[in-house]
Amino acid sequence: MAFRKNTDSDGKKLYFPEGALLNQMEVAVVESERRKSDILKEPFIVYLVESRAVDGLEPGCTLWRRYSEFETLRNYLMAIYPFIVLPPLPEKRINVAKFQLAADKFDPDFIERRRQGLECFLLRLASHPVISQDVIFRGFLNQEVGWKESVSETNWQQKSDSRFKSISASMSIKKPDQRFDDIRSYSESLFSNITSLLKIQQKISARQQTILKQHIEFGKLFSEWSVIETEIGDSLQQAGHQMDRLGSQSESIYNEEQVAYIDQLKEYLYFTESLRAIVRKQYLKQFELERAEEALAAKSKQKEELAKEINATQNGTEAPTSGFTFKSVSNMLFGQDSMEVRQEKLLLLEEQVKEAEENLKMVSEEAEIFVEKSLKDIDRFKKQKVRDINEIMENYVKTQYKVNKLGLQQWQSMKEYFMQM
């Protein structure tokens, strides 16, 4: 899940990027528990988060967290670190039948898979060198009392951009960054490809489940048949047992496949939204940059025209005109401003131009920093993706190998029983 690094600056061997929390601490979501409260009518699930030092010299910490607290943590991180490709959370509730998800949010298998997903989420964060240093994230792991208040005090909601604002910016920018357009296209294609892959896998899984049920039914029929047979009864009984074993053991392997293959693919399905969120943020940064450029250009033009007008008046020549404007109409109706008033307006425009220049510089620097950090983290994500997809596909091949090896063994055994008839 994280790449191996040789040593840090002190020569210490590392297994994660330098600065990652997992180099010093182990993090896990070890169990789940169903609870009720006097306030909430519906039951809810809490998860036990455990963290302890790798060297064991410091005492560890265990605390219970609700899914909503995981959501709060991620929302905070999205606002504070918009340039980071944040890992997704597992599903809170189930409403997507096409991905072969359980319908009951309290289904034990679903709760267990969600627990594993939440653990993966924390491990992803704890392996990130930037997120690992965040006080709020560390508090999530060891601050049982007052953590929510600590999050609220950061005022992270004020830094969160609305989706509508980002979409409006993407439609208004005049000079889009092709690199981020490419990232958006890639994320959309990746989402489409994984969605199609999951749909096909769902069909395969449904067919495999049907075959497993038929094998179990096959075994039952052999066992019933063996009761009325004298010469071949034992062979039929043994063949029935092999059919039962094939069905039950294959089902266990396919359940492993759900976690090792399907759930990990779904994680990358939702990773694509993190990529799109970064692109939307860059569009917003570019939109703000272009608006700052336009504001500076407008103020500079006003200053230039007023300066020419003042010079013309002082030299006794006709001031240059810009055609039929509101200002020209105002001058005809009410007369021109006095020299003193125009000098004051020029000074004000000079201050406004200076402010616009400073604002443009600030917005430009923020945009450059965001682009630099986001491209760096996207590069990190791409390397992570290659490693993970490789591992996902290896797990899938191993699962298919185990199922087929098991089937071959069972059918060989049944062949021997039938040959003994």
Side-chain angles (χ1 to χ4, degrees):
M1 196 186 81
F3 64 84
R4 185 178 296 268
K5 188 178 178 71
N6 292 328
T7 58
D8 64 5
S9 56
D10 297 326
K12 180 181 177 181
K13 189 174 182 180
L14 300 178
Y15 295 92
F16 299 94
E18 187 170 357
L21 186 61
L22 288 183
N23 286 313
Q24 296 85 33
M25 185 175 293
E26 295 177 351
V27 178
V29 180
V30 294
E31 62 179 277
S32 60
E33 184 177 290
R34 184 170 177 170
R35 292 183 180 178
K36 292 183 179 180
S37 69
D38 297 333
I39 300 176
L40 298 176
K41 295 181 180 180
E42 291 189 1
F44 58 91
I45 305 294
V46 291
Y47 300 89
L48 185 61
V49 178
E50 181 179 274
S51 57
R52 60 177 181 270
V54 174
D55 54 20
L57 299 179
E58 299 179 6
C61 178
T62 57
L63 45 81
W64 294 95
R65 295 289 187 195
R66 293 191 61 180
Y67 184 92
S68 59
E69 292 178 286
F70 283 86
E71 286 184 309
T72 299
L73 172 63
R74 191 176 189 280
N75 290 334
Y76 158 81
L77 294 173
M78 284 181 61
I80 303 300
Y81 305 101
F83 53 86
I84 288 178
V85 186
L86 288 174
L89 287 168
E91 299 89 358
K92 182 175 184 178
R93 56 178 57 88
I94 304 309
N95 54 15
V96 188
K98 64 182 180 180
F99 291 150
Q100 198 186 7
L101 305 175
D104 181 11
K105 67 178 181 179
F106 295 117
D107 175 76
D109 292 335
F110 169 67
I111 294 298
E112 171 57 20
R113 289 168 66 178
R114 189 205 282 174
R115 180 201 65 78
Q116 294 177 1
L118 292 174
E119 180 176 271
C120 181
F121 171 73
L122 291 183
L123 290 174
R124 295 276 194 201
L125 297 179
S127 66
H128 196 288
V130 176
I131 301 296
S132 290
Q133 308 307 315
D134 186 85
V135 175
I136 296 299
F137 170 59
R138 294 203 173 211
F140 183 87
L141 301 176
N142 55 39
Q143 185 181 351
E144 188 167 9
V145 179
W147 180 78
K148 290 183 180 179
E149 290 74 14
S150 298
V151 179
S152 299
E153 291 172 359
T154 63
N155 296 320
W156 63 269
Q157 295 92 337
Q158 298 179 5
K159 300 179 181 179
S160 181
D161 300 313
S162 69
R163 181 183 291 265
F164 176 77
K165 184 178 179 181
S166 299
I167 293 175
S168 299
S170 67
M171 298 173 63
S172 304
I173 57 177
K174 300 176 181 178
K175 296 179 288 186
D177 189 323
Q178 186 61 44
R179 294 171 296 181
F180 287 87
D181 283 349
D182 292 342
I183 293 170
R184 182 189 62 181
S185 298
Y186 171 76
S187 66
E188 292 172 351
S189 297
L190 182 61
F191 181 89
S192 177
N193 289 332
I194 295 180
T195 299
S196 299
L197 196 62
L198 288 171
K199 287 180 179 179
I200 294 174
Q201 182 60 35
Q202 192 272 336
K203 293 179 181 179
I204 294 174
S205 297
R207 187 177 302 172
Q208 290 171 334
Q209 290 295 328
T210 300
I211 294 174
L212 291 179
K213 291 178 181 179
Q214 291 173 342
H215 278 151
I216 294 174
E217 185 66 23
F218 217 168
K220 180 181 177 181
L221 292 174
F222 273 131
S223 297
E224 292 176 352
W225 186 10
S226 68
V227 176
I228 63 173
E229 297 289 349
T230 303
E231 294 82 359
I232 62 175
D234 289 342
S235 295
L236 290 173
Q237 183 72 32
Q238 292 295 333
H241 290 333
Q242 292 297 327
M243 283 288 189
D244 291 337
R245 188 175 296 113
L246 175 61
S248 61
Q249 292 184 359
S250 296
E251 184 175 12
S252 175
I253 295 174
Y254 286 134
N255 288 335
E256 294 177 8
E257 180 184 278
Q258 294 290 316
V259 176
Y261 177 63
I262 295 178
D263 285 357
Q264 291 187 43
L265 273 182
K266 284 192 296 181
E267 182 190 23
Y268 271 88
L269 183 75
Y270 304 132
F271 254 126
T272 60
E273 173 55 29
S274 295
L275 289 173
R276 289 193 290 270
I278 290 179
V279 172
R280 289 194 298 268
K281 185 67 175 181
Q282 192 277 329
Y283 287 160
L284 187 57
K285 291 288 186 183
Q286 181 63 26
F287 176 77
E288 293 171 348
L289 176 60
E290 292 180 4
R291 296 296 82 77
E293 291 174 341
E294 291 173 359
L296 174 58
K299 290 298 179 182
S300 297
K301 182 178 180 181
Q302 291 178 26
K303 173 191 169 185
E304 182 182 350
E305 290 178 350
L306 183 56
K308 289 180 179 179
E309 182 182 322
I310 292 174
N311 289 334
T313 301
Q314 290 175 341
N315 297 330
T317 58
E318 185 177 352
T321 61
S322 302
F324 188 78
T325 64
F326 175 79
K327 184 178 180 181
S328 63
V329 175
S330 177
N331 288 339
M332 287 188 294
L333 294 176
F334 306 106
Q336 290 187 343
D337 294 329
S338 66
M339 180 61 71
E340 182 179 352
V341 171
R342 283 183 283 178
Q343 290 286 0
E344 290 177 356
K345 287 185 176 180
L346 182 60
L347 291 174
L348 178 60
L349 282 171
E350 289 175 349
E351 287 295 324
Q352 291 175 343
V353 168
K354 184 177 179 181
E355 291 175 0
E357 289 174 341
E358 292 175 352
N359 180 62
L360 176 59
K361 181 180 179 182
M362 180 188 68
V363 172
S364 178
E365 289 177 351
E366 289 179 354
E368 289 177 3
I369 291 173
F370 176 83
V371 168
E372 179 182 356
K373 288 184 176 181
S374 59
L375 290 178
K376 179 180 179 181
D377 202 67
I378 289 172
D379 182 64
R380 175 202 62 82
F381 167 77
K382 289 179 178 179
K383 294 176 181 178
Q384 165 197 300
K385 179 200 62 181
V386 171
R387 293 190 302 272
D388 289 348
I389 295 298
N390 178 267
E391 180 180 347
I392 290 170
M393 294 308 172
E394 283 185 1
N395 289 335
Y396 183 71
V397 171
K398 289 177 182 178
T399 299
Q400 302 308 309
Y401 177 80
K402 287 172 64 176
V403 169
N404 286 280
K405 182 179 180 181
L406 174 64
L408 180 61
Q409 291 173 344
Q410 300 301 327
W411 286 110
Q412 286 176 338
S413 298
M414 282 185 279
K415 177 183 177 182
E416 294 176 2
Y417 293 133
F418 289 137
M419 291 180 67
Q420 294 173 7
M421 288 184 179

